[in-house]
Amino acid sequence: MNSKALAITAIKPAVLAAAIATALSGFALPVQAQSAPSPVQLVDALNGVFGSHAGARGSHAKGFCVAGQFEASSGAAAITRANMFQADKRTPLIGRFSIGGGNPKAPDNAKSVRGIALRITDGSERLEWIFVSAPHFFAQTPEQFVNFLKVRAPDPATGKMNPEAIAAFSKANPATTKQGAYLASQPVPASYATVPYWSTNAFVATNADGKAQAIRWRFEPMAGRLGLTDDEAKTKGADFLRSELAERLAKGAITFNVIAQLAQPGDQLNDPTEPWPADRAEINMGRLVINQITDQACDRETFLPTVLPAGLAPSADPVLAARGGAYAVSLGRRTQ
């Protein structure tokens, strides 16, 4: 893979900076914290709640690998000049479906967050997406991420969490309750193929004319949003998702529409707990086609949401910026 593959953009830096500054001049950009927890502290906070499990990720520990392709729509190039978004371009992908949290034996039939991680590359450029099945992340900043987990770490003496401390933290940090409230309001997904996934973080797309546009991503299942009743979820058991997807794939590929939601001036870009209003314009950027479950080779991989092709760039979201270092620490621990 050449050096161009991981470049954020090939536009001259001064030109790109000017375009992004112009496009984002009307957006709310919160002041960043002066200090942030280290990548080690981020992973330690996860391990403090879920424990350390040999060979497992610190988060989204339970999952399996898939493969397929991304098919760009005819209108995607209006938003980004990335080659893989040129009309009707088809690019191979590998990916991983997962259950949130650091427990490799997490139950599939609980109202927990689902995840999807993808790497799309044709050898000359590369895009990695990491999305969850809620429009809210559970922390606004890396500091809040660590504190959210620390207050949930079980007492070493009793092995239990402190509900009073959790309630006090939630009251003082109401943004951290949004993801849990959303998941509680939704049914247990019937399949990895029947639940939407959101980026929660914002990105900046730049087209061939140098026009920059802040976006958030969503994968919308073409099979529709389908859930289970509480009784149905109980009968499915704790490990039904892989076999369910295998049965579904035996009948044909599963597909998602790839949606870019377009920010308007005044929309904040740096708070992944707060979605933009639903009335924002959306563009169908293409289609994900997943056609097989593969071996577990992707468990040795790290998917980084800041690995982007020319024509896409990260926002200044501090949670997005913190992910790369934490994922590297997690990779090091699970491959020791």
Side-chain angles (χ1 to χ4, degrees), residues 264-334:
Q264 292 183 6
D267 290 341
Q268 63 77 25
L269 304 184
N270 291 358
D271 182 357
T273 71
E274 185 60 39
W276 297 330
D279 64 358
R280 297 299 182 255
E282 296 185 336
I283 301 289
N284 190 328
M285 301 289 284
R287 187 173 72 148
L288 295 178
V289 179
I290 295 173
N291 52 32
Q292 62 176 313
I293 296 174
T294 64
D295 62 23
Q296 288 303 99
C298 75
D299 278 346
R300 299 188 293 273
E301 302 286 342
T302 293
F303 299 86
L304 299 175
T306 50
V307 172
L308 301 164
L312 290 171
S315 67
D317 184 337
V319 171
L320 180 60
R323 286 185 164 191
Y327 293 174
V329 170
S330 180
L331 175 64
R333 290 183 181 181
R334 72 175 187 266

Side-chain angles (χ1 to χ4, degrees), residues 43-181:
V43 181
D44 283 348
L46 285 164
N47 292 161
V49 174
F50 299 105
S52 297
H53 303 276
R57 284 169 159 77
S59 184
H60 290 266
K62 182 181 183 180
F64 58 88
C65 307
V66 294
Q69 65 181 11
F70 170 67
E71 301 172 353
S73 72
S74 58
I79 300 298
T80 175
R81 68 188 197 86
N83 290 334
M84 65 180 63
F85 287 95
Q86 301 310 298
D88 302 320
K89 180 75 180 290
R90 298 186 178 190
T91 309
L93 67 82
I94 63 168
R96 185 174 185 269
F97 285 115
S98 61
I99 298 289
N103 178 7
K105 296 182 179 180
D108 292 356
N109 58 349
K111 288 190 174 184
S112 53
V113 71
R114 274 63 171 146
I116 182 172
L118 298 174
R119 176 176 300 153
I120 305 169
T121 182
D122 61 2
S124 64
E125 66 175 11
R126 182 164 148 184
L127 170 62
E128 299 188 1
W129 275 322
I130 302 176
F131 294 3
V132 294
S133 61
H136 317 268
F137 193 58
F138 67 83
Q140 296 171 298
T141 65
E143 295 89 342
Q144 197 175 62
F145 177 99
V146 168
N147 292 330
F148 175 96
L149 292 166
K150 279 185 174 180
V151 79
R152 286 165 171 77
D155 185 300
T158 65
K160 297 180 179 180
M161 297 182 185
N162 183 334
E164 291 81 10
I166 294 172
F169 178 83
S170 298
K171 184 176 181 180
N173 298 269
T176 65
T177 67
K178 295 176 183 178
Q179 186 185 92

Side-chain angles (χ1 to χ4, degrees), residues 2 14 20 29 89 102 131 173 208 232 234 245-246 263 306 325 327:
N2 60 36
I20 293 177
L29 301 173
K89 180 75 180 290
F131 294 3
N173 298 269
E232 287 172 336
K234 290 177 184 177
L245 198 74
T306 50
Y327 293 174

Side-chain angles (χ1 to χ4, degrees), residues 197-219:
Y197 300 89
W198 288 265
S199 66
T200 69
N201 304 117
F203 296 83
V204 179
T206 306
N207 66 15
D209 296 326
K211 179 181 178 182
Q213 169 67 55
I215 64 172
R216 276 176 165 161
W217 298 102
R218 185 178 81 255
F219 298 157

